[in-house]
Amino acid sequence: MLIRPRRLRRSASIREMVRETAVFPSDFIAPLFVIHGNGAKEPIPSMPGQFRFSVDALGKEAMELRDLGIMSVILFGLPDAKDAIGSRSWADDGVVQRAVREIKEKVPSMVVITDVCLCEYTDHGHCGVLKGSDVDNDATVELLARQALSHAGAGADMVAPSDMMDGRIGAIRRALDAEGFKQTGIMAYSAKYASGFYGPFRDAADSAPQFGDRAGYQMDPANAREALREVRLDIEEGADIVMVKPALAYLDILRRVRMETLLPLAAYNVSGEYSMVKAAAQNGWIDGKRVMFEILTSIKRAGADLILTYFAREAAAELQA
Ligand code: PBG
């Protein structure tokens, strides 16, 4: 036989030599949940191996992540109080604002990204302010810009709007520039689908909508062209990095966006994708470590440069071992 592909699979060394895709700790963005209080590192039941940290406990976590080669974190805040407009999200003494300062003080090299959204901060759990039972787009965008400014003021390197309102990237860019934050970047959750895979996160961040769902602002899972449209708009409005979310059921979208833009592309390997692996591994049904690397590699292979993933710490530790 002239052609035998198995020749290149004969040994571990040959396989490594011809391997097309590799993941590195510097590809990962580690999500961190931040709460009020002192000395807290609270396990999240729906996400085994993940915790909610109080601000004073974040420095240690950030140092450990840095020592594992992780360059970046994204912060989610659980406020001390909620209201109809999510006003604790732009408070200077808010949990995310304090967390940014703490991490920047303890690990100045850490790239600190903040999730910009209202759902953790509103008493109704929607990602914006309500007009009747609908989320008012333009009123919400103003509040998101306020929140982004507050995060930038606290020292965030980048803000990451996850709300899926129209025009928010442009509005945030203009607000940042007007206040002198020209170097603060925007990582846009450009193609964010209305997904069942966010279940464990809403539990972790206490951000489930109290009525209805998010289908009026997040994307329909059936649509691919619409994702490209959203990505184009965010790029025109000034996004520095674009994102597809979730990752696994949307690898085709990742690939298409990869072909669409020259910008760095991020994928969010979301909570449900993480917790399914953990649950099956705990039952002995799959080899959790092996599946973790298979998933991370597939996301990279599909075209992502960066992966927001709850596996960040575990995968980085394995890569270092
Ligand atoms: C909204 C937000 C969500 C996630 C990230 N940002 C939840 C939602 O849209 O309901 C989900 C992340 C995950 O599931 O890991 N602030």
Side-chain angles (χ1 to χ4, degrees):
M1 233 185 296
L2 189 62
I3 297 170
R4 291 184 181 272
R6 286 187 56 192
R7 286 186 199 119
L8 296 182
R9 296 180 205 136
R10 272 176 65 223
S11 70
S13 304
I14 296 177
R15 288 193 295 274
E16 184 159 346
M17 205 171 86
V18 299
R19 188 158 298 144
E20 299 174 32
T21 310
V23 291
F24 305 104
S26 56
D27 299 332
F28 305 145
I29 299 173
L32 295 174
F33 297 98
V34 195
I35 53 175
H36 284 274
N38 286 308
K41 185 179 173 185
E42 215 177 85
I44 299 170
S46 59
M47 301 174 70
Q50 300 299 309
F51 302 88
R52 299 189 193 95
F53 296 92
S54 56
V55 173
D56 61 334
L58 277 174
K60 181 166 175 279
E61 180 68 11
M63 284 187 257
E64 289 173 13
L65 292 172
R66 173 203 53 202
D67 293 344
L68 289 168
I70 291 170
M71 308 287 174
S72 177
V73 295
I74 181 164
L75 303 179
F76 296 94
L78 285 83
D80 45 3
K82 304 188 188 227
D83 60 26
I85 60 169
S87 61
R88 290 300 291 159
S89 70
W90 58 82
D92 190 49
D93 63 346
V95 77
V96 166
Q97 288 79 358
R98 290 173 45 225
V100 172
R101 289 188 209 105
E102 175 71 12
I103 295 175
K104 278 293 180 186
E105 190 194 314
K106 297 284 158 54
V107 187
S109 66
M110 187 62 80
V111 178
V112 179
I113 306 174
T114 55
D115 186 83
V116 169
C117 195
L118 293 177
C119 66
E120 296 104 318
Y121 301 90
T122 52
D123 47 19
H124 46 75
H126 277 288
C127 301
V129 281
L130 300 177
K131 199 194 242 164
S133 60
D134 193 33
V135 171
D136 182 341
N137 190 89
D138 300 8
T140 298
V141 167
E142 276 178 41
L143 301 184
L144 294 169
R146 254 169 110 162
Q147 188 183 343
L149 272 181
S150 169
H151 292 172
D157 295 285
M158 243 178 253
V159 293
S162 65
D163 50 284
M164 288 302 279
M165 297 302 129
D166 295 330
R168 88 266 209 232
I169 301 301
I172 290 172
R173 185 68 272 157
R174 284 189 295 277
L176 290 171
D177 285 0
E179 296 296 322
F181 298 108
K182 295 190 168 68
Q183 299 300 332
T184 306
I186 303 179
M187 180 170 78
Y189 286 72
S190 300
K192 176 174 178 183
Y193 287 87
S195 170
F197 286 100
Y198 307 147
F201 174 96
R202 290 180 186 174
D203 195 31
D206 186 26
S207 65
Q210 298 303 303
F211 66 90
D213 56 32
R214 304 209 201 288
Y217 37 106
Q218 298 180 349
M219 282 180 52
D220 185 334
N223 293 357
R225 292 193 313 265
E226 189 186 347
L228 299 181
R229 186 163 182 244
E230 286 283 6
V231 165
R232 279 179 201 171
L233 282 171
D234 284 357
I235 293 171
E236 280 167 20
E237 291 178 31
D240 299 287
I241 299 176
V242 291
M243 192 204 298
V244 172
K245 173 186 177 186
L248 283 187
Y250 301 87
L251 292 179
D252 60 322
I253 309 296
L254 262 179
R255 168 51 48 142
R256 289 178 68 166
V257 173
R258 171 71 295 157
M259 292 178 346
E260 164 84 15
T261 177
L262 301 176
L263 291 185
L265 172 59
Y268 202 139
N269 176 211
V270 301
S271 58
E273 298 171 335
Y274 173 82
S275 298
M276 287 194 305
V277 173
K278 287 291 167 195
Q282 277 174 2
N283 276 296
W285 295 336
I286 59 171
D287 175 343
K289 201 195 303 177
R290 185 173 168 187
V291 169
M292 167 178 79
F293 277 115
E294 196 170 329
I295 286 174
L296 294 171
T297 304
S298 74
I299 294 170
K300 194 100 189 269
R301 194 193 62 227
D305 303 297
L306 297 164
I307 309 175
L308 295 89
T309 179
Y310 304 98
F311 289 121
R313 189 193 173 100
E314 188 182 344
E318 283 294 331
L319 290 169
Q320 204 178 61

